[in-house]
Amino acid sequence: MEFICNLISQPYYLAVTADKALRKGQRLSPSDIAIKPITLYTDKKVFFKSSEVVGSKLKRSVKKGELLTTSRLYLDYDVEKGQAVDVVYQSETIRLETLGTALESGLVGDTVSVQNQQSGKLLRGVVIKKNRVRVY
């Protein structure tokens, strides 16, 4: 007799969750959150470090154990849509800087669209620090 068993392994991640029930408008403190293993079944924007959410304000109430996602928090973005940003291009031989306007909000590491204020050209780049985007 032969048995065949197919196992499907779901990867899990350590992500930031609510350690207790939290109210809409509440600012998150370290005691409000927990890092728990989760399985992602959909493409959600989650947080993997508590430092990414401490101090953020909740858009709506959450229950204990709920995953804290970007849609549940007001984020303190490093680049805000509509704001002026420094646009940097750097290769091995040249470095250029100009002013641009952010067309999207983003945190450090996010890819955002910016518009060159001088030429009007649309560019894509990575947020490298507060109000600074490195373009490709």
Side-chain angles (χ1 to χ4, degrees):
M1 186 177 283
E2 184 177 324
F3 292 98
I4 298 174
C5 181
N6 291 328
L7 296 176
I8 298 175
S9 174
Q10 295 289 332
Y12 75 92
Y13 304 91
L14 293 175
V16 178
T17 63
D19 197 36
K20 54 190 165 194
L22 303 169
R23 295 180 320 278
K24 175 183 176 178
Q26 182 174 339
R27 288 228 178 253
L28 296 176
S29 69
S31 65
D32 295 326
I33 58 177
I35 305 294
K36 302 274 175 137
I38 59 141
T39 302
L40 289 177
Y41 295 103
T42 60
D43 185 25
K44 291 184 179 179
K45 293 185 178 182
V46 299
F47 299 97
F48 301 104
K49 298 177 190 171
S50 58
S51 61
E52 296 174 315
V53 299
V54 170
S56 296
K57 191 173 173 182
L58 288 170
K59 286 183 182 178
R60 55 181 161 252
S61 297
V62 294
K63 297 177 185 173
K64 180 180 179 173
E66 277 191 67
L67 191 59
L68 296 178
T69 62
T70 56
S71 63
R72 292 192 166 125
L73 301 174
Y74 293 107
L75 298 176
D76 294 323
Y77 289 108
D78 295 304
V79 168
E80 295 275 347
K81 180 179 179 179
Q83 296 294 316
V85 294
D86 294 322
V87 178
V88 179
Y89 172 80
Q90 186 168 351
S91 70
E92 291 181 22
T93 57
I94 192 169
R95 177 181 173 90
L96 301 171
E97 290 193 35
T98 189
L99 289 177
T101 302
L103 301 177
E104 302 172 83
S105 296
L107 299 168
V108 169
D110 289 346
T111 300
V112 296
S113 295
V114 295
Q115 184 173 27
N116 182 314
Q117 288 183 355
Q118 198 170 24
S119 69
K121 186 174 179 181
L122 297 179
L123 306 164
R124 297 281 292 163
V126 176
V127 178
I128 55 174
K129 69 180 195 178
K130 184 83 171 164
N131 295 324
R132 185 170 283 248
V133 176
R134 183 182 66 235
V135 295
Y136 313 120

